[in-house]
Amino acid sequence: MSETFDADVIIAGAGMAGATLALALKQGGLTPILIDPIVFDAQLAPTFDGRSSAIAYASFRQWRALGLAQDIEPHAQRIEQILVTDGRSPGASVGKPSPFYLRFDSAEIADRSDGEPLGYLLENRRSRAALAAAVEKAKITVLAPARVDQVSFDTDCARVTLEDGRVLTAPLVVGAEGRASVVRAAAGINSLGWAYAQTGVVATVKLARPHEGVAHEYFLPGGPFAILPLTEDRASLVWTEPTAKAQALKSARPEVFHAHLQRRFGALLGEAQVMGPVFTYPLSLQLAERMCAPRAALLGDAAHGIHPIAGQGLNLGLKGAAALAEVLVDAARLGEDIGSEVVLERYARWRRFDNISVVAACDLFVRLFSNDNPLLRLARGAGMAAVNRIGPARRFFMNDAGGALGDLPRLLRGEAL
């Protein structure tokens, strides 16, 4: 690091993608600084974020390679199977079973995935806790609570001004601070997107019967209803409804919420008892027109915010962290300017196609499945049945969802930088 700079890379946003990037850069010999308006301790509180995330097995390899295994594996539930069903209103448990379904089984790809599951289900607060512990152990500087007020770009550095007046400089600033990214705006990068008029209702439940590592996803007219397995025979529910209905569920009395929940939940896993608070999250799409500019790069939701229908949002951010870290570390070892447009375009080119493909696919799934149109229902049912019957197609989708296809960064292969 040049003596004229405060760091090699300033990362605005110490969420899961930003913290992962910081750890990867530190492992590769660079000096990052993390900036976040919320201190780590507050991010670990059960009331901060009720969501759980499906972590692709390639993303999980990255966390292992960064030294997080001891803190995350006790809390990570293996997803051995995924069952996808096209349901009807008013709930997944109502009416006759659909003849159209899709089953993914990790045993089918065990020979290519080294015995990994389809993915891991992990509560966000557990992931954040493991990342916070690793960041502290790596002695990475974290400025929190602190908020980026302005970012300016010179020919040889980025200048970050915090709301308290402090000024930091580095060859590169990374915007990983979410959809309202100050870094993205300062770099002159526009974004496109739209709201879905849907809200995700999220809760954790205790199951009466073992889930055996099986994730269930019902596509209902109001949006998908997912039962995602957690450790200790708990499940994370992601219940998508039109916004007005979701807000009513959020404010409903516990016994009313439970009645609606059980009606959709059905009898498959017995009674489901809500544990802790119920959270709601508005759903929308946002995609940055570019992933980088001179002295600036975008990561995570600052680059792409998507619908949770396929559980790929966090994984896109973690893939981006692995690719960006590898590009920057390799460039630094060659003596290149890591903030130059030539270097950053390598990152953008590496991630561009995958990002756009996943964003477009998720948007298509939302429009295709969040309705009760008879023709679309028939078409999507036939498509699910066809994929379910074709082994190579099933295995392709499983490997793709696991993040194991394409030109993988070293960290996603489980290798250190």
Side-chain angles (χ1 to χ4, degrees), residues 57-305:
Y57 62 80
S59 298
F60 210 75
R61 288 173 184 167
Q62 174 176 216
W63 280 352
R64 284 195 188 113
L66 294 174
L68 275 67
Q70 182 177 347
D71 289 327
I72 59 173
E73 288 187 340
H75 307 290
Q77 170 63 50
R78 290 170 61 98
I79 303 174
E80 302 293 358
Q81 294 185 32
I82 301 174
L83 300 180
V84 183
T85 308
D86 200 5
R88 282 192 177 277
S89 180
S93 63
V94 178
K96 296 180 180 179
S98 170
F100 304 128
Y101 66 91
L102 187 56
R103 178 193 294 270
F104 296 119
D105 191 327
S106 63
E108 280 196 69
I109 59 170
D111 57 333
R112 296 188 59 184
S113 66
D114 298 324
E116 294 278 14
L118 297 174
Y120 296 84
L121 218 292
L122 194 61
E123 293 163 280
N124 284 6
R125 65 189 182 93
R126 300 294 190 184
S127 305
R128 291 176 187 276
L131 287 163
V135 165
E136 182 179 4
K137 183 178 180 181
K139 295 181 170 52
I140 295 171
T141 299
V142 181
L143 304 181
R147 191 182 298 272
V148 175
D149 182 48
Q150 296 179 22
V151 183
S152 60
F153 303 98
D154 298 331
T155 57
D156 62 346
C157 76
R159 196 175 307 277
V160 176
T161 303
L162 305 183
E163 284 189 343
D164 61 11
R166 284 178 289 177
V167 178
L168 304 172
T169 60
L172 174 66
V173 60
V174 175
E177 74 273 55
R179 299 190 185 204
S181 171
V182 175
V183 174
R184 186 183 65 228
I189 301 175
N190 295 322
S191 63
L192 55 88
W194 43 81
Y196 287 114
Q198 292 179 328
T199 293
V201 181
V202 176
T204 299
V205 298
K206 179 68 175 178
L207 304 175
R209 300 174 188 166
H211 54 59
E212 298 179 343
V214 180
H216 300 264
E217 183 149 22
Y218 298 96
F219 287 118
L220 305 176
F225 178 75
I227 305 169
L228 307 174
L230 291 170
T231 54
E232 301 171 349
D233 281 323
R234 297 171 300 142
S236 174
L237 303 185
V238 183
W239 180 356
T240 307
E241 290 283 5
T243 296
K245 288 185 179 180
Q247 294 302 329
L249 284 168
K250 165 73 173 174
S251 58
R253 299 192 310 275
E255 60 271 23
V256 173
F257 181 88
H258 183 265
H260 282 282
L261 165 64
Q262 203 61 43
R263 190 179 188 192
R264 283 160 177 77
F265 200 83
L268 180 65
L269 296 171
E271 191 82 3
Q273 296 295 332
V274 177
M275 303 174 65
V278 175
F279 299 82
T280 55
Y281 300 93
L283 304 179
S284 63
L285 178 148
Q286 187 179 74
L287 179 66
E289 292 182 349
R290 293 177 289 138
M291 295 191 67
C292 65
R295 306 287 164 204
L298 301 181
L299 180 67
D301 281 359
H304 39 66

